[in-house]
Amino acid sequence: MSAVAQSANHKLEQALAHYDIGELIDFEPAKPEPDNHSYHAHTRQGEREFRVTVTFVEPPALPTGAYVSLLDRCAAAGLPVAPILRTKKGLPYATTSSLPAFVVPRLSGRITYNPTERQIRALGRFAARFHLATASAEYLMPDHPGTVSWLRGQEQSSRGLMPFACADMFVEAARSVRSLLRRHDVNELPSGAIHTRLARANALFNEAGLTGVLNLDQAAQGFLIYDLAAAANDWCNDARGALNPERTLWLLQGYHAIRPLTHQEVWFFSGFALYAALNAWVAQLSQVSTAREPFKNPDELEAAVRHHLGHTFYIDHRLLA
């Protein structure tokens, strides 16, 4: 066993000792990144076996209290989200080496790379149910990091991450999004807890439907329409970065059936598609620059930003019913 694996094994044994789920049998990293803090663990207690996911939370991850409250509320609403397991003392997390460790049941299902109409509509319904279930003042959610000031800073740093022509396009897109976020009517759009990354990589399906949504640790306070725009960019786009009208309508109709979208949200959907694409592009470029393996090719995200910058995606609100 390598030194890294030995360290992970020690941390996991310390954390799992706080739970009534037996001893650690084996484990594997939940993600391939070198700084991974999440593990799939297999434990045994007598004749019973458990398969759980253990996550060690470090800044800038979601604050412990807000994360626990978020998952508890989702579980209470019957959403396909893994609930937080309590320790032997009834606590929502165990502390190991000064880091909180959350343990949740491992969800079944698999990622889909070519989603069907049924799956896209299911994702839309989940987003609506998630927004309704978490609409509570008790959540001290951090603001979405893609603020106006953050975008201004990215304009400066973009020069070192991409070719000159791409950097110019990035600056133009960032300024367009900054202008969007400064509008008074935009700031009056419905807001609350948002997932921020409703991508295919974070949704599990089986033959019966949606079985799990992952990575809520990046949830934040933001505009609800952002979640739909981010999802559409990943679930409904084509090779040119353009949104497929039919697939996008499936997503929005699924959402609208649970939580009706306002006319203003539909009107600004196109602008938020650019906003979400820009954020995703920066995130993937950052992964490439740190030698991580991105889930999506940054060139595809660049194409999405370029397309959204040059085209407005119009949706007739009457088609959502």
Side-chain angles (χ1 to χ4, degrees), residues 56-75:
F56 298 89
V57 180
E58 286 188 311
L62 195 62
T64 301
Y67 184 52
V68 172
S69 297
L70 181 73
L71 291 187
D72 281 351
R73 181 60 66 91
C74 289

Side-chain angles (χ1 to χ4, degrees), residues 147-159 161 170-171 174 178 282:
T147 60
V148 170
S149 59
W150 177 84
L151 286 167
R152 186 180 294 109
Q154 292 303 311
E155 289 180 27
Q156 303 300 322
S157 61
S158 64
R159 299 292 181 186
L161 294 175
F170 181 95
V171 169
R178 282 165 49 197
V282 171

